Amino acid sequence: MKSIQTSKVFQKNTILTSDNRCRNIDIINNSICKRKLLIDENGNEFCFYCSTIAAEDKEIKDSAEKALENEDVHKLMSAFKKKSLMNKDLHEATLDKYYPQNESQDVALETVKTYINEFDCERGLVLQGKPGLGKSHLASAIVKELIKKKYSGIFISLPRLMTELKATYNRKSALQEVEVLSALQNVNVLVLDDLGVEIDGKKDDAAAWAKGKIYEVVDSRVGKSTIYTTNFTAKQLIELYGERDFSRMVQYCDSIKIEGKNYRFKKFS
């Protein structure tokens, strides 16, 4: 604001005010402020609301919006905890307990560590490889590490997600479908485990329904961190989902290809 020279100035209760009004954009309602300006001891006009109160109001508004946004997330996570949606062997999965057996697994572990350290709530990952190479282990560990950093995170296999969505159609369900989808949309990081399994080999109607629900989730999370694990190749996934849907899924994802022998067979070698 410019120093007052010709504007009419008057004093009331030791507070100098100007006839001029604020022309700043109110950050709360996105309109011109229009509040009357005050004058500091140097003769400069300023808006007390814009310079002092607006930032506090915005912080309160943002906190309230965030609380509403996270309400469905917290409700879903609470419900999921009771159902133990994660396989028992993944409950103890951590980065320290992932033991690389070859170079590709070394690279995967280091890439995951970098991803966690540089997490931006936007980039995602696709962990691809044959069964038994620790893809789900690493994805689960990512969620746990990010939750430690105060981010919200959900890990769920896609087959189980389809089951949970169908369960919401029951009138006695504690969750509604819209609440599940809203939570999956708003969570900071979402892991969708076993991509492709939920539609591979399914009948046309079941596969179409599953693909439709997955697309709803994926489309709502464009630009948000989503992590996929899959046993399928990119070519196979394009055949399952179609090029449009699959490209939408991986648009903001980096790929990690893991190779090696199925660790689950180590007792039989």
Side-chain angles (χ1 to χ4, degrees):
M1 298 289 181
K2 294 182 179 179
S3 180
I4 302 301
Q5 295 179 356
T6 58
S7 296
K8 179 184 176 183
V9 178
F10 62 91
Q11 187 170 7
K12 182 179 180 180
N13 296 331
T14 72
I15 298 177
L16 294 176
T17 60
S18 167
D19 286 340
N20 296 326
R21 292 185 176 273
C22 180
R23 303 299 297 173
N24 291 333
I25 299 298
D26 189 324
I27 60 177
I28 300 299
N29 56 36
N30 200 33
S31 61
I32 297 175
C33 176
K34 296 183 181 180
R35 292 174 176 82
K36 211 152 193 184
L37 298 174
L38 303 181
I39 305 169
D40 66 20
E41 58 186 7
N42 296 316
N44 297 314
E45 292 178 318
F46 70 98
C47 176
F48 179 74
Y49 176 82
C50 289
S51 62
T52 305
I53 299 175
E56 296 176 0
D57 283 356
K58 186 175 187 303
E59 184 176 350
I60 293 170
K61 178 174 178 286
D62 289 347
S63 296
E65 289 178 348
K66 192 69 175 176
L68 288 173
E69 179 181 286
N70 287 335
E71 185 176 350
D72 286 338
V73 175
H74 294 318
K75 184 175 181 179
L76 183 65
M77 291 176 71
S78 177
F80 279 6
K81 283 179 181 178
K82 296 177 182 178
K83 297 183 179 183
S84 188
L85 298 186
M86 192 179 291
N87 292 337
K88 187 176 180 180
D89 59 343
L90 294 178
H91 284 292
E92 303 301 322
T94 64
L95 295 180
D96 292 339
K97 292 181 179 179
Y98 181 78
Y99 306 113
Q101 302 299 310
N102 57 44
E103 184 178 355
S104 75
Q105 294 176 18
D106 278 325
V107 171
L109 179 59
E110 292 308 312
T111 302
V112 163
K113 288 179 178 178
T114 300
Y115 178 81
I116 293 168
N117 291 334
E118 299 178 358
F119 184 68
D120 61 2
C121 291
E122 296 179 0
R123 298 299 302 175
L125 294 172
V126 178
L127 286 82
Q128 187 272 327
K130 294 180 180 179
L133 300 180
K135 302 182 298 297
S136 300
H137 181 121
L138 288 173
S140 173
I142 290 172
V143 172
K144 292 172 186 174
E145 290 299 318
L146 291 176
I147 288 175
K148 288 179 185 177
K149 293 186 174 188
K150 307 304 180 183
Y151 294 104
S152 58
I154 291 175
F155 178 107
I156 187 170
S157 74
L158 277 166
R160 186 60 183 269
L161 175 58
M162 297 302 105
T163 299
E164 293 302 322
L165 286 175
K166 288 177 181 177
T168 64
Y169 301 157
N170 188 321
R171 288 186 296 177
K172 295 182 179 180
S173 173
L175 291 170
Q176 297 180 357
E177 182 184 52
V178 66
E179 292 175 319
V180 175
L181 295 176
S182 175
L184 297 179
Q185 174 186 343
N186 292 318
V187 72
N188 294 138
V189 58
L190 173 65
V191 172
L192 297 176
D193 194 37
D194 276 338
L195 180 66
V197 173
E198 78 290 351
I199 62 174
D200 185 41
K202 300 291 189 297
K203 294 182 179 179
D204 289 346
D205 289 347
W209 179 83
K211 283 195 286 187
K213 291 305 173 184
I214 293 167
Y215 188 78
E216 280 188 60
V217 174
V218 170
D219 193 54
S220 72
R221 290 188 59 79
V222 170
K224 296 181 181 179
S225 295
T226 306
I227 298 172
Y228 306 92
T229 75
T230 184
N231 301 329
F232 295 89
T233 65
K235 182 179 179 180
Q236 290 171 324
L237 290 170
I238 289 173
E239 291 174 353
L240 287 171
Y241 295 100
E243 185 174 347
R244 183 202 69 163
D245 290 4
F246 181 64
S247 64
R248 192 77 160 169
M249 291 178 191
V250 300
Q251 183 177 358
Y252 295 96
C253 292
D254 297 320
S255 177
I256 301 177
K257 187 170 183 179
I258 306 177
E259 300 174 338
K261 296 180 180 180
N262 190 328
Y263 76 88
R264 300 186 184 108
F265 291 155
K266 63 183 179 181
K267 293 181 181 180
F268 300 94
S269 59

